[in-house]
Amino acid sequence: MVNDVQNVPGSPGAQPGERPGAPILTMSGIVKHFPGAKALDGVDLEVLPGEVHCLLGQNGAGKSTLIKVLAGAHRPDSGTITWRGEPFEVTTPVAALRAGIATMYQELDVVDGLTVTENVDLGHELASAGFTQRRAARARTAELLARLGHAEIPPGREVGRLSAAGKQVVSMARALSHDARLIVMDEPSAVLDSEEVANLFRVVRDLTAAGVAVVYISHRLDEIREVGDRITVLKDGRTVATGLAVDQTPTADLIRLMTGRTVEHAFPERPGVPAAADRRLVVTDLSLRGVFEDVSMTVRAGEVVGLAGLVGSGRSEILETIYGARRATSGSVEVAGRRLRAGSVSAAVGAGIGLAPEERKSQGLLLDEPVYRNITLSTFGRFARGPMLDEQAERTAAREQITALDLRPHDPDRTARTLSGGNQQKAMLARWLVHGCDVLLLDEPTRGVDVGARAEIYGLIRALADRGAAVVVVSSEIEEVLGLSDEVLVISEGRVVHRCRAEQIDEHGVLDLVMEGSAA
Amino acid sequence: MSEQTPPTLATAGSVPPDPASPTPLERGRSPEPAAGATQRPPSGLRRFLHGAAGRNIGLVIALLLVCVVGVATAGERFVSVDNLMTILRYAAVIGVLSIGMTFVITGGGIDLSVGSVLGLASIWASTLATQTMAGDIHWIVMVGTALAVGTGAGLVNGVLIAYGRVVAFIATLAMMVGARGLAEMIANRQTQLVTVDPFLDFFRADLLGISVLVWIFAVVAAAGWVLLNRTTFGRRTLAVGGNPEAARLAGIKVKRHTMYLYAIAGLTAGIAAVMMLARTTAGSSTHGQYYELEAIAAVVVGGTLLAGGRGTIVGTVFGVLIFATLANVFTQNNLSISAQAVARGVIIVAAVLLQQRLAARQRST
């Protein structure tokens, strides 16, 4: 662990053009239009050196667009940016980096085929006379990874072989490798488990101690409480509040600012599952060699079973194996009493299982296709007359779900790419609602979904169960698993270490079990 | 997010809603099912321009430009009915191949073997044995042989790529080399004249003043359009090409579908082989050389994304016509094949540049 702040790239101390107390970055009146939509409509943001400035807002509020403007990926239509006391026009991402603004995007922006070192150095390779200095680059990357608390990641490892969390670390190392005065982190904790989040916070504190400003975007209010200094709230492309002190602003106020309404209970009531309910999904001694073993569970109609555990504990793999996306090495999956063929997704779908995968964009959606085709992706054959598609019937079905789930915008012909995270997730749920699922497997259903939309998605999941679906939920947020589920399975290193009713355990209990399991 | 109440679930998910009873939202919409892009009034024009017709305007203009050059340089000779038929006959063979290629490319693949498979099928369908049998029974035997050889080769490609996980480029490269070699072995490097006269009579005839070959191209293109745009097969093709993982997790049998796509490409190579036999009255192991590249060029110029996920049969037909007309204009003016090749190259690059700009514009929204 590096306590020596001198090692921080972008070393501390007074820099020219930075008076103490003066903002390092001021954005005012930023407006950005996209064809057919106004993404930013007058945003103001002021960031002080050495502070963690949190950017809050619902999906679609304009956070991502704003940071893309700052990173030089979009050019604003109007508005001014002042950087270190001088007017600044960000023309290209490279210009932003040169000026000392580094961005970690929400979508992991790493190149799978390159090594960790090559990714970290991408675009500013250490080189002399055109030849890369591989040894020096590798050493520097190893140092950065150690600072991030991930010395175990080999700098020579191909990034494609790392987990999502590992890729996030690489992305972070890349941001650090620039001589940055301001680092924008767009939901950096989304793919991290709690231990890694703690690591992330330590790095953030190191950075701010060295005078680097951090713009931190997260949907998790508890994180913002822990690491943030001030908050700016965006809503519908406008700044609705700026410079709020984190420790003096109640959560209720923040939610009211973000949503324009108050959220009382995020988690819906659990009516309880009658003992006589059908056993919809029975998993017996399911194993996938080297990943998890002997996982058994029974999910009855109307029941929500949650899998809690750290990233990498095998949670997602368990869901994917139940679904047939991975071929189990042993064990069986039965739906309504009928055993499924191992390793066959179409058998699972045919039996009435639906999966909303963890990576919506790469595993779930056809981003360039209209929403209705995404919604009917597993059912278009059913609407068809013989081999001929019936797109009107598909649109009608999609439109009903769009209305029922309040999927914005209410337009079945909108391209999936243009939707916010929460609405993309609703499209995934809509797909299985149209399909009609007896068993629904949800992997990180609220990843990248804002607070307001989260409550809606929780409500939806509960409503599905109440209508008789058997639901299995995986989430990195233990609170979410506990709040949603009837029964909880705690997973550690590929084994079920504990199972109990959700109300019989709390967050600490789960963490204790997970840590114990890891130590074993 | 304006409502406080939890959303109600309109359709009980188990039953797809009855298509015959539209929701209130459906009212006021034109009942015509086709061309959904042009229906909605608010942004109708924009949707139209971004839709299929808008994308094809560029191709229409390009084709007209080539024609204008043709008229200006060759005048009467270019616009004569005879010459137009020559262009279409020339376009027909490549055109049929390009329709199959459109499916493979839309599905995220590539097929370098169609030209060689065409050659192999033309040889196989014109061996002494096949022709003797065709003479005894019916000329359809030759057609059946060509289609079976083409589809078989396509299936081999498909199985290797989908189930053997061989990269499409390599698997079809191997087939390209191997099929050509096999054709040479069977033919002993000889040209095999077609002696079954009823075969030639049928395929070299005109129907309503238009060559049967051109009719075949028209039928294949129309069938391809329906298959790609109006059937579940076409939707699966888009899904598999656009995001294979999402398609797989939605329950689509991606591997099997991929195999079918290559079989289709093989089938079109078989059809093209029949057309080639008729046009040249002979089977030859050199038939179809470089046709795979011409087909790929036509498909890409037509606007099908080389990365997969978006394909257009209409665009492919335009792409084929543009290249065929261009070749004709050069021939009419006694210009060299080499100059023609240069012009072709320029057109391909221009088309891809244009396509990338369109894609970038779409992505930024």
Side-chain angles (χ1 to χ4, degrees):
Chain A
M1 300 302 136
V2 182
N3 294 320
D4 182 2
V5 289
Q6 296 299 331
N7 274 1
V8 176
S11 61
Q15 300 269 333
E18 262 177 47
R19 287 170 293 114
I24 187 169
L25 170 77
T26 311
M27 299 174 88
S28 55
I30 303 290
V31 174
K32 174 73 189 172
H33 294 268
F34 287 123
K38 205 174 218 181
L40 296 180
D41 188 16
V43 171
D44 304 315
L45 177 69
E46 188 191 86
V47 183
L48 302 173
E51 79 163 338
V52 178
H53 197 104
C54 299
L55 207 50
L56 264 180
Q58 302 210 45
N59 285 315
K63 292 168 307 201
S64 294
T65 313
L66 180 67
I67 64 166
K68 280 184 180 159
V69 166
L70 184 55
H74 291 327
R75 298 187 72 165
D77 297 324
S78 66
T80 56
I81 302 177
T82 310
W83 172 244
R84 295 164 82 171
E86 283 165 28
F88 179 53
E89 201 171 333
V90 206
T91 47
T92 63
V94 176
L97 280 173
R98 289 235 176 85
I101 302 173
T103 307
M104 290 164 52
Y105 289 105
Q106 185 179 350
E107 300 96 41
L108 297 171
D109 52 344
V110 290
V111 185
D112 279 350
L114 298 181
T115 65
V116 172
T117 303
E118 285 162 344
N119 264 287
V120 168
D121 284 357
L122 204 60
H124 60 122
E125 288 83 0
L126 275 183
S128 60
F131 292 95
T132 51
Q133 299 183 326
R134 297 161 55 111
R135 192 184 300 265
R138 195 167 283 222
R140 196 180 65 173
T141 300
E143 190 190 334
L144 284 168
L145 291 170
R147 274 193 56 213
L148 290 165
H150 282 273
E152 84 284 358
I153 297 178
R157 169 78 48 91
E158 213 175 272
V159 163
R161 291 167 57 203
L162 298 179
S163 65
K167 289 179 184 177
Q168 180 79 73
V169 171
V170 173
S171 177
M172 219 181 310
R174 183 197 291 169
L176 286 181
S177 76
H178 294 282
D179 190 22
R181 302 299 301 156
L182 174 79
I183 298 184
V184 181
M185 301 184 177
D186 190 0
E187 292 202 49
S189 59
V191 294
L192 304 181
D193 59 37
S194 44
E195 195 184 341
E196 287 165 324
V197 170
N199 244 325
L200 170 71
F201 288 171
R202 197 180 43 70
V203 174
V204 167
R205 289 191 191 102
D206 275 1
L207 286 169
T208 51
V212 176
V214 173
V215 172
Y216 190 93
I217 298 176
S218 174
H219 290 307
R220 300 180 184 173
L221 290 173
D222 52 331
E223 285 180 4
I224 288 170
R225 293 254 173 257
E226 189 174 340
V227 79
D229 294 312
R230 294 194 306 156
I231 300 176
T232 292
V233 183
L234 299 187
K235 182 172 185 292
D236 299 334
R238 294 167 182 273
T239 300
V240 291
T242 187
L244 303 172
V246 162
D247 43 10
Q248 283 161 28
T249 315
T251 303
D253 288 2
L254 289 176
I255 291 180
R256 205 174 45 243
L257 283 167
M258 281 166 64
T259 62
R261 66 192 159 100
T262 47
V263 177
E264 306 252 306
H265 293 290
F267 296 109
E269 285 289 309
R270 284 171 294 201
V273 187
D278 290 348
R279 303 199 310 170
R280 276 284 159 77
L281 173 71
V282 179
V283 177
T284 315
D285 294 333
L286 197 69
S287 301
L288 182 64
R289 190 170 299 124
V291 183
F292 63 86
E293 56 191 30
D294 295 336
V295 171
S296 300
M297 66 177 97
T298 302
V299 191
R300 290 173 296 170
E303 189 173 28
V304 180
V305 169
L307 303 187
L310 303 178
V311 171
S313 61
R315 306 167 315 190
S316 299
E317 289 82 357
I318 292 172
L319 284 197
E320 288 170 12
T321 309
I322 293 174
Y323 194 59
R326 294 164 185 260
R327 186 189 290 272
T329 39
S330 66
S332 71
V333 177
E334 284 173 34
V335 175
R338 289 232 313 278
R339 185 171 172 162
L340 296 186
R341 194 151 55 89
S344 165
V345 170
S346 38
V349 172
I353 307 190
L355 169 75
E358 180 180 9
E359 300 273 351
R360 276 190 300 274
K361 288 184 183 175
S362 65
Q363 298 181 298
L365 295 167
L366 303 172
L367 291 172
D368 291 321
E369 293 286 318
V371 171
Y372 81 89
R373 287 190 185 177
N374 276 284
I375 290 178
T376 58
L377 187 62
S378 47
T379 42
F380 60 82
R382 204 194 291 164
F383 291 103
R385 292 174 297 243
M388 307 304 282
L389 292 169
D390 185 347
E391 300 202 332
Q392 284 306 56
E394 289 181 44
R395 277 204 187 82
T396 307
R399 208 184 286 274
E400 280 184 47
Q401 296 301 335
I402 286 170
T403 311
L405 309 189
D406 193 22
L407 192 157
R408 302 277 177 102
H410 288 229
D411 178 5
D413 287 295
R414 201 47 188 255
T415 312
R417 187 184 295 282
T418 60
L419 298 184
S420 66
N423 285 310
Q424 287 180 346
Q425 185 67 8
K426 285 182 182 175
M428 288 299 301
L429 285 175
R431 177 184 299 167
W432 298 116
L433 286 173
V434 172
H435 186 269
C437 275
D438 291 336
V439 178
L440 204 50
L441 312 174
L442 306 174
D443 198 352
E444 301 282 5
T446 60
R447 176 165 162 195
V449 174
D450 62 70
V451 175
R454 267 177 194 217
E456 283 182 57
I457 288 185
Y458 295 149
L460 274 173
I461 294 172
R462 195 67 246 178
L464 278 167
D466 291 347
R467 282 219 323 266
V471 182
V472 182
V473 175
V474 159
S475 173
S476 296
E477 288 174 62
I478 296 166
E479 192 196 348
E480 182 171 294
V481 175
L482 297 181
L484 270 177
S485 313
D486 297 293
E487 190 184 12
V488 175
L489 270 59
V490 181
I491 313 285
S492 177
E493 303 200 334
R495 280 175 303 114
V496 178
V497 293
H498 188 71
R499 66 178 74 215
C500 63
R501 310 298 306 165
E503 55 274 14
Q504 290 166 352
I505 193 167
D506 61 9
E507 207 168 337
H508 288 288
V510 172
L511 277 174
D512 280 351
L513 284 163
V514 166
M515 300 299 170
E516 253 173 56
S518 306
Chain B
M1 324 281 147
S2 57
E3 284 147 5
Q4 294 234 10
T5 47
T8 50
L9 302 160
T11 35
S14 51
V15 188
D18 181 3
S21 62
T23 63
L25 279 166
E26 282 292 298
R27 266 183 287 135
R29 296 194 58 191
S30 138
E32 182 189 46
T38 56
Q39 282 176 19
R40 227 133 314 108
S43 52
L45 183 65
R46 172 175 293 158
R47 276 172 192 274
F48 175 79
L49 284 176
H50 280 104
R55 263 183 271 122
N56 288 333
I57 281 178
L59 293 168
V60 174
I61 293 170
L63 184 56
L64 285 177
L65 272 180
V66 177
C67 288
V68 167
V69 173
V71 173
T73 54
E76 294 290 298
R77 265 177 302 141
F78 180 79
V79 283
S80 71
V81 173
D82 266 2
N83 189 47
L84 290 182
M85 284 304 135
T86 308
I87 294 176
L88 287 177
R89 254 199 314 278
Y90 177 86
V93 176
I94 297 275
V96 167
L97 280 184
S98 302
I99 299 299
M101 187 69 79
T102 305
F103 278 88
V104 169
I105 293 181
T106 305
I110 192 83
D111 190 343
L112 300 178
S113 71
V114 286
S116 294
V117 170
L118 188 166
L120 176 63
S122 82
I123 285 295
W124 208 314
S126 61
T127 54
L128 192 58
T130 317
Q131 291 210 51
T132 309
M133 206 200 287
D136 290 347
I137 304 170
H138 194 271
W139 54 262
I140 204 82
V141 171
M142 291 172 68
V143 176
T145 307
L147 301 196
V149 169
T151 310
L155 275 173
V156 172
N157 280 333
V159 168
L160 282 175
I161 292 160
Y163 297 97
R165 298 184 192 186
V166 181
V167 178
F169 191 95
I170 297 302
T172 59
L173 182 68
M175 179 61 77
M176 169 176 141
V177 177
R180 186 75 67 196
L182 184 59
E184 285 171 1
M185 283 163 66
I186 294 174
N188 214 1
R189 292 177 178 261
Q190 305 286 311
T191 299
Q192 303 177 158
L193 286 179
V194 175
T195 55
V196 182
D197 289 334
F199 175 89
L200 295 177
D201 292 344
F202 182 85
F203 286 104
R204 291 177 70 85
D206 283 356
L207 185 61
L208 305 176
I210 294 170
S211 161
V212 166
L213 299 185
V214 176
W215 281 111
I216 294 176
F217 174 35
V219 168
V220 169
W225 186 88
V226 170
L227 189 61
L228 188 63
N229 295 297
R230 290 287 180 267
T231 68
T232 52
F233 186 91
R235 177 70 66 76
R236 276 185 221 118
T237 306
L238 291 181
V240 167
N243 188 342
E245 181 68 2
R248 187 175 79 102
L249 291 180
I252 292 172
K253 291 169 178 146
V254 174
K255 287 183 179 181
R256 188 192 294 183
H257 193 80
T258 303
M259 184 182 74
Y260 288 158
L261 292 176
Y262 288 93
I264 285 183
L267 174 65
T268 56
I271 297 172
V274 171
M275 297 163 76
M276 204 66 179
L277 279 175
R279 203 177 78 186
T280 62
T281 69
S284 161
S285 57
T286 58
H287 275 345
Q289 227 159 12
Y290 303 121
Y291 278 24
E292 62 281 336
L293 299 182
E294 297 197 23
I296 292 170
V299 170
V300 171
V301 165
T304 296
L305 280 187
L306 204 44
R310 176 154 304 161
T312 152
I313 297 287
V314 176
T316 296
V317 170
F318 272 113
V320 170
L321 291 179
I322 288 171
F323 282 129
T325 313
L326 188 76
N328 183 265
V329 171
F330 274 76
T331 317
Q332 293 284 350
N333 288 295
N334 294 322
L335 289 169
S336 71
I337 300 215
S338 317
Q340 186 186 328
V342 172
R344 233 173 246 261
V346 170
I347 289 182
I348 293 171
V349 169
V352 171
L353 284 175
L354 194 71
Q355 204 182 74
Q356 281 172 348
R357 292 190 58 170
L358 288 175
R361 190 193 300 169
Q362 220 160 42
R363 202 134 301 183
S364 68
T365 52

